[in-house]
Amino acid sequence: AQTVTQSQPEMSVQEAETVTLSCTYDTSESDYYLFWYKQPPSRQMILVIRQEAYKQQNATENRFSVNFQKAAKSFSLKISDSQLGDAAMYFCAYRSARYGGATNKLIFGTGTLLAVQP
Amino acid sequence: GAVVSQHPSWVICKSGTSVKIECRSLDFQATTMFWYRQFPKQSLMLMATSNEGSKATYEQGVEKDKFLINHASLTLSTLTVTSAHPEDSSFYICSASKGPDNYGYTFGSGTRLTVV
């Protein structure tokens, strides 16, 4: 079974600085997707960034980028120029690339609570 | 975009009563929807996978008779908490997939259930 591990329960960053959130996963599959979701105090889950395992190029979305190391099964999120609105719980998630019902469930890590200091 | 509407956003009910939570995909058809439960400051725990027109697939340890899931159409899935007890109080979130793509899932805004 696949597992996702986030070893940093809490992180803090100064406004305008850069912070990296760690995520490792375990799977025997070769094709899958990885995601970072943000959950602010409103508790609405928001997709931050996604990565297809077959792509070697790291995904980027504006101030958000990932460092995807497939062999090491590592998927870290870098937030540049941190803003107060980035304060939230961040979840790393895994999804099999096989399509069909429960096989497409998202497997979440335990989350990292990010605080942004003004 | 892909929008998922979840209602109600919060509900308080008495012990022993049943509560229904709706999850609707507003601008796309969702053959599969997922129901999660989240305790404070914890991760999302998948309860079940809801498949349109067929029985839901429940995760191990989730009581099928307590958490009834119905996915009667391509845009609506419901979760009914039957004979609710205070320990069922939690935050419930649904999500839906547009199909065999790689865009992740769209989540509803969640329902805070309090059983008194």
Side-chain angles (χ1 to χ4, degrees):
Chain A
Q2 297 84 14
T3 59
V4 177
T5 301
Q6 292 179 251
S7 59
Q8 305 156 315
E10 298 183 9
M11 291 283 285
S12 182
V13 63
Q14 291 291 129
E15 199 174 0
E17 296 296 308
T18 296
V19 65
T20 297
L21 307 184
S22 301
C23 173
T24 58
Y25 59 94
D26 189 30
T27 182
S28 59
E29 298 180 323
S30 59
D31 200 11
Y32 48 86
Y33 306 115
L34 297 166
F35 308 88
W36 278 98
Y37 280 91
K38 169 185 178 181
Q39 188 180 41
S42 68
R43 303 190 80 170
Q44 174 71 58
M45 295 289 285
I46 302 167
L47 177 64
V48 175
I49 199 166
R50 62 178 172 84
Q51 174 80 43
E52 294 91 332
Y54 65 85
K55 290 186 177 179
Q56 292 186 341
Q57 186 174 6
N58 290 322
T60 62
E61 288 288 343
N62 300 313
R63 299 183 294 107
F64 299 88
S65 62
V66 298
N67 183 2
F68 173 50
Q69 301 292 328
K70 191 173 184 179
K73 296 180 182 175
S74 172
F75 183 61
S76 61
L77 174 69
K78 185 172 79 171
I79 305 174
S80 304
D81 186 25
S82 297
Q83 301 176 359
L84 295 177
D86 294 334
M89 181 73 87
Y90 286 81
F91 293 101
C92 178
Y94 170 102
R95 194 200 105 176
S96 171
R98 291 179 293 129
Y99 184 73
T103 61
N104 293 133
K105 62 185 180 183
L106 284 173
I107 299 169
F108 287 94
T110 51
T112 296
L113 182 61
L114 177 66
V116 180
Q117 307 300 328
Chain B
V3 180
V4 173
S5 174
Q6 185 173 344
H7 291 281
S9 56
W10 61 271
V11 58
I12 301 173
C13 71
K14 293 183 177 180
S15 290
T17 62
S18 295
V19 174
K20 179 183 286 187
I21 302 170
E22 293 189 348
C23 182
R24 293 180 183 273
S25 55
L26 298 185
D27 52 359
F28 67 99
Q29 293 183 332
T31 55
T32 304
M33 291 185 175
F34 301 87
W35 287 95
Y36 295 87
R37 183 173 181 175
Q38 186 180 32
F39 292 103
K41 297 187 179 181
Q42 293 189 23
S43 188
L44 282 73
M45 181 191 77
L46 180 66
M47 299 174 65
T49 302
S50 172
N51 303 294
E52 186 270 334
S54 64
K55 292 183 178 180
T57 303
Y58 289 82
E59 295 297 300
Q60 190 173 8
V62 178
E63 298 178 61
K64 301 178 182 180
D65 294 333
K66 166 164 278 297
F67 300 101
L68 299 179
I69 291 173
N70 183 277
H71 195 158
S73 76
L74 286 171
T75 60
L76 174 64
S77 177
T78 60
L79 167 66
T80 301
V81 183
T82 64
S83 186
H85 288 94
E87 56 266 31
D88 298 326
S89 298
S90 189
F91 191 70
Y92 294 88
I93 310 176
C94 69
S95 70
S97 170
K98 293 178 68 174
D101 55 45
N102 58 2
Y103 290 91
Y105 298 100
T106 303
F107 285 81
S109 54
T111 298
R112 180 176 300 283
L113 170 63
T114 302
V115 185
V116 298

